[in-house]
Amino acid sequence: MRSWSAPEIPSLPGAGLPLRLYDTSARGVRDTSPGPKARMYVCGITPYDATHLGHANTYLAFDLANRMWRDAGHEVHFTQNATDVDDPLLERAEQTGVDWRELAEREIELYRTDMEALRIVPPDDYVGVTEVVGQVAELIGRLKDKGATYQVDDDVYFSVAAAPKFGAVSGYPEERMLELFAERGGDPERPGKRHPLDWLLWRAERPGEPSWASPLGPGRPGWHVECTTIALNRLGSGFDVSGGGSDLIFPHHEMGASEGHVATGEWPFAKAYVHAGMVGLDGEKMSKSRGNLVFVSRLRAEHDPMAVRLALLAHHYREDWEWTGDQIVSATERLARWRAAFACPAGPDALPVLRRVRERMTDDLDAPGALAAIDDWAARAVAGEGGDAGAPALVRATADSLLGIAL
Ligand code: 5CA
Ligand code: ZN
């Protein structure tokens, strides 16, 4: 699928630092240590509604990782899916009387526009599941050959008993897994399953639902295996970061990791599993199913998109937080202060600011710490401190390159 236009990223003097990230599967902050080409897969949207601030917060987190790797001299191979056929999309299409393909296309297009406005570096591969159904069926065939699948009626399931590493990503006890599986699209109670946590790989054709011909019979992919297939085929196993919001830790990334492991015999499927916190509104996680949404498109119609980005950057990416209207006001004020400082004829030495921003950002993406470093410099520049005529341009380039705030 078409991706979106890349923002320009100014290069900065000196060397970037190695990126450290909190890896859910290691339960701690670790060096990412990628090769010359860092490989990252970030789970994309299910396009049945517009991009909300929670999505934006998650995609911003991985955009920051992308930028820090580039600053350290890596190339980045970035892949993302769009879940352009799945139950919630089909249900919404049905309710609103819109063709599901049209609904998906319209929301994906809005998402592209939102991401571009927020200066998110686009994926190199932006892949709709409907483009790769044959590849998904092929991967399920591999799992079948390993004896890891079985059928319930005409549907194909993955047998959790065939996955020796199951549980390694989330570390959750089985009770918690069962709860989350039921909440997040799973079917623990379906009769005929061997284990309640066995998950759907291939959903056989149902009347009125889209389906594709395959050696498994006509049907469509289950959710987790779509991402496993796309990540494996585009990046190869052992890629550096598998990312998404913390609601994907279980079941999505847990089950995907086991699929990758059993299909290839290689472990880990991803070297690090990295998760952004949940953005809420009025005490609840912002979600399309709850409908308590603040849309990026609505916000950026009324505010500078760079203020929207700054409002998100004010929170550490792993934090769970609540959106309130005053946050866009503070971000707009901060933007004005930075603008004034960058327009100063001179300012205090910029190199310590660059160093500090690099330090904060490579330490598990401490964006609030990076903002504080620029705030401090900006206050001093506006107060007339320092006589370095090159400093405003260098701090501006730092904010642009590493934080994606272009002024
Ligand atoms: N298509 C699947 C992933 S394969 C999916 O989860 N789609 S989604 O549209 O529901 O979410 C897209 C991304 O935004 C996911 O990474 C998800 O973890 C993240 N996300 C969803 N809601 C929130 C929220 N309230 N706060 C932060 N991130 C969120
Ligand atoms: Zn995914």
Side-chain angles (χ1 to χ4, degrees):
M1 263 179 352
R2 199 165 50 77
S3 194
W4 56 91
S5 305
E8 275 203 39
I9 303 182
S11 58
L12 298 169
L17 302 171
L19 174 62
R20 293 165 61 74
L21 289 174
Y22 184 92
D23 171 7
T24 300
S25 63
R27 313 211 224 278
V29 176
R30 294 278 181 278
D31 284 327
T32 55
S33 52
K37 193 175 252 187
R39 293 173 293 161
M40 174 164 75
Y41 184 91
V42 180
C43 284
I45 56 165
T46 304
Y48 68 92
D49 213 336
T51 319
H52 60 65
L53 277 176
H55 301 135
N57 190 60
T58 290
Y59 298 120
L60 172 61
F62 296 95
D63 184 63
L64 297 174
N66 191 334
R67 287 168 183 267
M68 297 320 294
W69 272 335
R70 287 164 190 258
D71 184 52
H74 298 281
E75 274 184 71
V76 179
H77 186 170
F78 171 28
T79 300
Q80 181 164 115
N81 70 309
T83 307
D84 60 357
V85 59
D86 200 6
D87 299 346
L89 173 74
L90 298 174
E91 280 159 23
R92 180 65 62 89
E94 173 87 32
Q95 282 161 14
T96 53
V98 182
D99 182 76
W100 63 274
R101 286 179 221 83
E102 257 168 57
L103 176 60
E105 217 166 275
R106 186 175 76 205
E107 298 305 344
I108 288 170
E109 185 50 29
L110 184 59
Y111 170 72
R112 289 189 186 103
T113 318
D114 288 335
M115 292 296 102
E116 201 169 308
L118 293 177
R119 298 183 74 80
I120 304 286
V121 176
D124 303 283
D125 316 298
Y126 188 36
V127 185
V129 176
T130 55
E131 296 178 300
V132 294
V133 174
Q135 292 175 35
V136 177
E138 216 171 276
L139 186 80
I140 298 171
R142 275 164 79 181
L143 294 171
K144 192 174 173 189
D145 293 344
K146 309 260 178 187
T149 72
Y150 66 94
Q151 281 190 216
V152 179
D153 304 326
D154 290 329
D155 298 332
V156 182
Y157 276 80
F158 186 98
S159 169
V160 71
K165 299 286 189 184
F166 189 79
V169 172
S170 67
Y172 294 160
E174 187 164 316
E175 208 174 306
R176 176 112 196 265
M177 289 181 174
L178 283 165
E179 245 170 63
L180 290 174
F181 189 51
E183 269 171 39
R184 298 175 179 165
D187 56 0
E189 313 224 316
R190 179 165 178 184
K193 281 172 55 171
R194 293 181 191 162
H195 190 287
L197 288 172
D198 291 345
W199 64 91
L200 184 72
L201 293 169
W202 185 258
R203 179 173 160 91
E205 185 175 41
R206 306 285 200 279
E209 286 188 11
S211 75
W212 287 258
S214 87
L216 309 157
R220 61 181 165 96
W223 174 27
H224 317 302
V225 72
E226 77 186 49
C227 286
T228 309
T229 304
I230 297 169
L232 200 55
N233 291 357
R234 301 297 177 129
L235 299 172
S237 73
F239 59 96
D240 296 289
V241 164
S242 170
S246 59
D247 58 339
L248 298 187
I249 297 173
F250 195 91
H252 189 52
H253 288 166
E254 187 73 77
M255 294 183 171
S258 279
E259 289 166 351
H261 179 216
V262 173
T264 62
E266 290 162 24
W267 184 263
F269 181 56
K271 287 194 208 140
Y273 287 86
V274 179
H275 296 103
M278 286 293 114
V279 180
L281 185 70
D282 305 328
E284 296 251 40
K285 172 194 155 185
M286 214 179 267
S287 74
K288 288 175 283 209
S289 49
R290 287 196 183 88
N292 59 337
L293 306 175
V294 178
F295 293 125
V296 173
S297 40
R298 200 164 302 158
L299 213 51
R300 68 182 170 78
E302 289 165 25
H303 303 277
D304 187 329
M306 290 296 95
V308 178
R309 185 162 171 129
L310 259 187
L312 301 175
L313 284 168
H315 299 271
H316 190 273
Y317 81 99
R318 284 203 283 124
E319 189 192 324
D320 293 329
W321 54 278
E322 295 251 329
W323 175 256
T324 48
D326 58 318
Q327 296 178 45
I328 193 72
V329 177
S330 319
T332 304
E333 287 165 4
R334 176 177 258 145
L335 209 57
R337 290 198 301 273
W338 287 15
R339 249 196 204 108
F342 296 160
C344 288
D349 188 6
L351 283 175
V353 182
L354 171 56
R355 199 175 315 127
R356 182 81 183 147
V357 171
R358 278 181 167 145
E359 253 170 40
R360 289 295 80 232
M361 293 304 288
T362 50
D363 180 10
D364 197 28
L365 306 173
D366 176 15
L371 297 191
I374 296 183
D375 283 344
D376 178 57
W377 177 90
R380 291 164 55 212
V382 168
E385 267 184 53
D388 186 341
L394 181 51
V395 179
R396 180 204 300 256
T398 301
D400 186 349
S401 179
L402 303 184
L403 302 176
I405 300 294
L407 288 176

